[in-house]
Amino acid sequence: MQTFDNASAGAIVLSMAERIVENRAYLSEIDGKIGDGDHGVNMAKGFGMAAERLKGKDASLAQSLDTLGTVLMTEIGGSMGPLYGVMFTEFAETIEGTEKVDAAAYSKMLHAGLAGIQSIGSAKVGDKTLLDTLVPAVEAFDAATADGKSFGEALEALVAAAEAGRDSTINLVAKIGRASRLGERSLGVLDAGATSCAIILKELSDGARVRLA
């Protein structure tokens, strides 16, 4: 059975932070088309702060996710800080104390993060939010494991579904948040939250996949 070591996987969060910081301008540009244009700036600030606190520490994946979640929840404004903050905190709590993370533990972690987001927001799939990325990704992972696919194959399916979910937001009308005021004018643009969520899930899942043994 494929697993990865929780204790040695903290660096995944550092590479996640790198990707978010790299995409700061892109995420803000997308957000600026239908939102207030600060998504990339806020995300890069939060992820950058967490990375600074983690550098040089030999933190586990659970500890690193907890640090990131706490920073996003307590120190970053906007709607995304609390949403991603609760997601990462739930991720961390779920795998805390798990030495070897297998597909079942990874699925449990994903579901806990999703439930955390749903507990503080009213968005659903189709509303043009990060849930349009996250929900299909979680479903694809579970479907792949139920189908007898390996942990690694299920992670690949998750990433593909996350990116397809992100792309689906181009054809959606925003129902939640600032963009919802634009109605039909929000069509034709990617959702910034769905886009950052796809980056996060890809880094997290690719990082897990290369560590599988």
Side-chain angles (χ1 to χ4, degrees), residues 50-89:
E52 283 305 313
R53 288 175 203 187
L54 289 166
K55 272 174 194 159
K57 288 185 181 167
D58 195 17
S60 67
L61 179 58
Q63 289 163 335
S64 300
L65 288 167
D66 186 58
T67 297
L68 176 59
T70 304
V71 167
L72 292 175
M73 260 200 288
T74 58
E75 302 185 45
I76 301 303
S79 57
M80 299 311 283
L83 289 170
Y84 277 134
V86 77
M87 180 178 89
F88 289 123
T89 307

Side-chain angles (χ1 to χ4, degrees), residues 29-48:
E29 181 196 334
I30 299 171
D31 192 36
K33 290 177 179 172
I34 56 171
D36 44 19
D38 62 358
H39 183 61
V41 174
N42 283 342
M43 291 286 285
K45 181 183 167 197
F47 278 72

